[in-house]
Amino acid sequence: MKTKVFGYIILIVVCVTIGVFAAKQYMFSNQEKINPLTTEVYAVKNGYGYRIKLNENILIQQNFIPAAYGKKGFKTRTEAQTIANLVVQKLLAKSSPTVTMEDLKNNQIHIQ
C-alpha cells in the first residue's frame, strides 16, 4: 500500500516538473513573437543615436534627437535608450512612432 502511494507521489512530482519546464520553454520561445522589436543605442559624431529593429531588420535609425531643432545626438546612452523604448511602446500600441517636443520634455531629454 505504501509503495503504491509513493509511486503516485513520484508520478505527480514528475508530471508537475515536466509541466513547469514546458511552460517556461513555451514562454521563452514565444517572447520574440510577443515583441519582435529590439533596440540598439550607438555612438554618433555628437552624442548617441538609436536603431529599432524588427526581426533583425532596421525599421528606424535615428542619428539625432527627433523633434529638436538641428541635428544633435542624444547627450547620453540612457537618453537615447529612453526614447527608443518610447518609440517601441508607440509601435506596439499601433500608434504613430513620431516623437514630439512634449515626449522629450516628459522624458527629461536635454536639448542644447
Side-chain angles (χ1 to χ4, degrees), residues 12-29:
I12 289 170
V13 169
V14 168
C15 288
V16 168
T17 303
I18 290 171
V20 168
F21 180 75
K24 276 186 167 182
Q25 289 297 100
Y26 177 77
M27 286 173 45
F28 287 119
S29 69

Side-chain angles (χ1 to χ4, degrees), residues 1-2 5-6 8 12 16-17 23 29 31 34 40-41 44 47-48 51 59 61 69 78 81 84-86 107 111:
M1 183 65 137
K2 287 183 181 181
V5 171
F6 185 69
Y8 284 128
I12 289 170
V16 168
T17 303
S29 69
Q31 194 166 15
I34 294 169
E40 177 184 329
V41 174
V44 294
Y48 297 91
R51 287 184 191 99
L59 184 63
Q61 180 162 320
Y69 180 75
T78 302
Q81 186 65 61
N85 292 342
L86 173 67
N107 287 283
I111 305 168

